[in-house]
């Protein structure tokens, strides 16, 4: 039988991600010899070699790379199916709302207040994510709805409603050559040092890595980098930092998003409350 058990697939993925049997064993809380035997059993069952092992390193073979790519999706799908079953069996299960810390443009409290006033409101669990994985929370079922920024966040496979559209601003130290300008163009920012965002592959930044806006502002204050983001993500500004509108930068949209697989009826009331709060633009009491 060539089928793999979920547990075995988890063992393989741990080694594939760590590329080190010892670290993978610690991560899985099992003995290293037991893990090595489990991987050999998988290779024997599939009739392929998954890892090239030497005394100094471990590397994936082409067969291992294929299993890693498809195996990760398989485990995510199994997890999503289990969560969906639990949710379907609990009519009053909490609604899980994911956002980036500070990434709500001041709408979090108004949205929650508007939703709480609805007769069908449920408990809302707030989840915070990293810079680039909110869409993953929605795709794999960890969250029901989320606040995302387009075009920064990937919206493929998601349904969404736009809550707010914003222009982007350059985030500069107060002594910067452009800090006193009323506006700038992107060409005027050429040659500046931009940050590398943790967990966001393919960026053009060459400066220090930052994990969130707070770290970015610290780096701007220290004159290590400059940034460009929607204004709501960086206000209120700390001392020593200024924002200058970038006139030719594409605008960004703050959107409420959910998986297209999600039953709209289950979250319709929350979506309506978010649109109401966005339209009113002030905190609902």
């Amino acid at each position: 039988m060539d089928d793999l058990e979920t547990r075995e697939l988890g063992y393989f993925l741990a080694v594939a991600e760590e590329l080190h049997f010892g670290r993978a064993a610690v991560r899985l809380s099992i003995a290293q010899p037991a893990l090595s035997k489990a991987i050999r059993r998988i290779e024997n069952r599939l009739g392929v070699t998954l890892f090239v092992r030497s005394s100094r390193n471990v590397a994936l073979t082409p067969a291992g790379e294929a299993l890693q790519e498809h195996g990760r999706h398989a485990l995510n799908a199994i997890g999503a199916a289990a969560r969906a079953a639990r949710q379907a069996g609990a009519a009053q299960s909490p609604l899980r709302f994911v956002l980036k810390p500070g990434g709500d443009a001041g709408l979090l409290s108004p949205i929650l207040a508007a939703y709480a006033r609805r007769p069908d409101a449920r408990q809302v669990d707030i989840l915070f994510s990293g810079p680039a994985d909110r869409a993953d929370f929605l795709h794999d079922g960890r969250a029901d709805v989320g606040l995302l920024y387009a075009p920064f966040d990937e919206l493929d496979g998601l349904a969404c409603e736009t809550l707010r559209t914003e222009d982007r601003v350059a985030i500069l130290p107060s002594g910067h050559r452009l800090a006193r300008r009323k506006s700038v163009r992107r060409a005027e920012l050429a040659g500046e040092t931009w940050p590398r965002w943790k967990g966001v592959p393919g960026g053009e930044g060459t400066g220090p890595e930052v994990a969130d806006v707070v770290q970015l502002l610290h780096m701007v204050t220290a004159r290590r980098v400059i940034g460009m983001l929607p204004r709501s993500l960086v206000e209120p500004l700390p001392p020593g930092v200024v924002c200058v509108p970038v006139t030719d930068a594409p605008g960004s949209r703050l959107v409420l998003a959910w998986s297209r697989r999600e039953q709209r009826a289950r979250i319709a009331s929350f979506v309506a409350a978010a649109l109401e709060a966005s339209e009113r633009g002030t905190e609902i009491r």
Side-chain angles (χ1 to χ4, degrees), residues 148-167:
L148 279 66
Y149 275 87
F152 308 107
D153 294 309
E154 180 57 65
L155 299 180
D156 285 352
L158 301 176
C160 63
E161 292 280 1
T162 298
L163 301 183
R164 180 171 295 178
T165 300
E166 298 183 72
D167 294 331

Side-chain angles (χ1 to χ4, degrees), residues 8 24 33 36 106 108 148 159 185 200 224 228 240 251-252 270 274 277 284:
E8 293 176 316
S36 298
L108 178 59
L148 279 66
R185 297 179 65 83
V200 182
R224 298 287 304 279
M228 185 164 61
S252 67
F270 189 85
I284 301 171

